[in-house]
Amino acid sequence: MPKQKIVVVQVAALSWELLQRYGLQLPGLSFQPTASIFPALTCPVQATMRTATLPDAHGMLSNGVFDPRLRKVLFWEQSAAQIEGPRIWDGLRAQGGSAGMFFWQQSLGESVDWLLSPAPIHRHHGGMIQDCAGRPESLYPRLQKALKRPFNLMRYWGPLASAASSQWIAEAVANLMACPAAPNLLMTYLPALDYDLQRYGPSDPRCAKAWRQTVAQLSLLVEAAAQHGYEVLVYGDYAIADCPGGPVYPNRILREAGLLSVRPIKQMAYLDLYHTPAFAMVDHEIAHIYTTSPAHHLAARAALEAAPGIAEVRESATGSNGGDLVAVAAEGQWFSY
């Protein structure tokens, strides 16, 4: 069985610019700048890390997917089957080693030995039961007991998201590293730095607090790794930039060009995905554009290329499960519905 142990920590929105601005001096960690993939979004980056392939190969082209048969846009779906290709830990497990994944996206059903992921139950009559899916089944109950509290999904996602989410994750993974049966490869995710950077913009002085909290959480993990024989790899998935130009609305552009159909209901306009000639599935700096005919494809491209705030419009790769076109926001701007 392999003896080497490593913990991989993805820090959301950790960038070289932030490292230069605030500094991060932790024993055993030495950082250097790297380029992210395109698109630099959570799900594509995590899929690339676990497969060592690019999005055109593993198929995770944004945080959302569009099902052309159901005519539905789905964001943050958690099935690991969405990601195609072998995993980087396959060889490790074949040699008797083990792998664990904690709070990565698209981890449910993944081929790992230990797993922990938010998995709430949405009641049919409304409301939600907070829970995490654990593998083995005893894992989450044991961590709740050790940490003296459950994981609070409200601090992980939505308007109440805060550093409490990353703190729980860091404490849980530090606790797991102390277990004699802990996997050789541990992959985890600290999301909270992203929250204030998006709320305020990375140049806002209020982001310094989020940085200090992230450094404290990394310190906890690095100290636990040193104590229990783990090497540490820390990386960031993307950088968040200031956006003084504000949002760009690709679907408004398509509607004004006569390419987007809506259903007017109670003074509101709802997208009609069953009959619309073209629409945009937007995701931060990119938008996947889906069209229904060659003529609509050309018209959509012309309308978007002529619009301010869009840097370029790319043709998608043949056989891609993404949009027919991919629009990229101009520097200092972002896409919104």
Side-chain angles (χ1 to χ4, degrees), residues 2-308:
K3 295 183 179 180
Q4 186 180 24
K5 298 192 293 186
I6 183 168
V7 57
V8 177
V9 185
Q10 178 185 327
V11 180
L14 176 64
S15 69
W16 186 247
E17 290 81 7
L18 287 176
L19 284 165
Q20 298 304 297
R21 179 179 302 162
Y22 294 116
L24 174 51
Q25 301 297 322
L26 288 179
L29 292 183
S30 176
F31 289 92
Q32 56 185 334
T34 60
S36 190
I37 61 166
F38 179 86
L41 299 164
T42 302
C43 295
V45 171
Q46 289 187 353
T48 287
M49 177 60 81
R50 77 179 75 174
T51 63
T53 62
L54 294 175
D56 282 347
H58 59 62
M60 186 56 60
L61 301 177
S62 78
N63 295 318
V65 296
F66 172 61
D67 189 314
R69 296 173 298 173
L70 299 178
R71 308 303 294 175
K72 284 187 177 181
V73 172
L74 305 167
F75 267 79
W76 304 106
E77 291 295 312
Q78 291 304 304
S79 170
Q82 296 174 88
I83 299 172
E84 300 176 5
R87 304 317 200 225
I88 60 172
W89 57 80
D90 288 346
L92 170 69
R93 296 184 76 220
Q95 297 174 37
S98 55
M101 180 172 279
F102 300 94
F103 288 83
W104 276 36
Q105 305 299 324
Q106 288 81 51
S107 62
L108 296 183
E110 188 56 278
S111 60
V112 291
D113 303 279
W114 285 20
L115 171 71
L116 194 63
S117 175
I121 301 298
H122 296 278
R123 297 179 175 180
H124 294 295
H125 58 280
M128 180 183 71
I129 302 172
Q130 291 200 42
D131 196 31
C132 289
R135 181 177 179 184
E137 290 184 3
S138 61
L139 181 61
Y140 184 46
R142 181 167 73 80
L143 286 171
Q144 290 184 78
K145 183 177 181 180
L147 274 58
K148 297 182 173 57
R149 64 194 189 281
F151 181 74
N152 189 341
L153 186 62
M154 297 298 100
R155 302 300 179 184
Y156 179 67
W157 196 250
L160 299 179
S162 74
S165 58
S166 286
Q167 184 65 31
W168 195 98
I169 295 170
E171 290 180 23
V173 174
N175 182 280
L176 292 172
M177 281 191 273
C179 178
N184 303 81
L185 172 64
L186 280 171
M187 294 162 285
T188 193
Y189 175 52
L190 299 181
L193 180 62
D194 172 283
Y195 303 151
D196 282 350
L197 292 176
Q198 288 208 53
R199 285 187 180 111
Y200 310 127
S203 297
D204 193 292
R206 287 174 289 185
C207 294
K209 180 180 178 181
W211 179 261
R212 292 193 298 270
Q213 292 168 328
T214 299
V215 171
Q217 292 150 11
L218 282 173
S219 298
L220 174 63
L221 289 170
V222 169
E223 289 170 7
Q227 184 177 354
H228 301 293
Y230 278 85
E231 297 182 57
V232 181
L233 171 64
V234 177
Y235 78 99
D237 40 9
Y238 49 79
I240 292 179
D242 290 303
C243 292
V248 177
Y249 302 94
N251 282 311
R252 291 184 183 179
I253 296 167
L254 295 173
R255 188 181 183 189
E256 290 167 1
L259 294 168
L260 184 130
S261 301
V262 298
R263 296 172 58 201
I265 303 174
K266 293 185 177 181
Q267 290 76 53
M268 300 287 286
Y270 292 88
L271 180 59
D272 182 0
L273 284 171
Y274 298 100
H275 302 105
T276 194
F279 78 95
M281 183 180 75
V282 305
D283 200 348
H284 296 275
E285 68 173 347
I286 67 158
H288 286 278
I289 315 301
Y290 296 86
T291 60
T292 55
S293 74
H296 294 139
H297 181 105
L298 292 173
R301 175 160 196 151
L304 293 167
E305 286 181 331

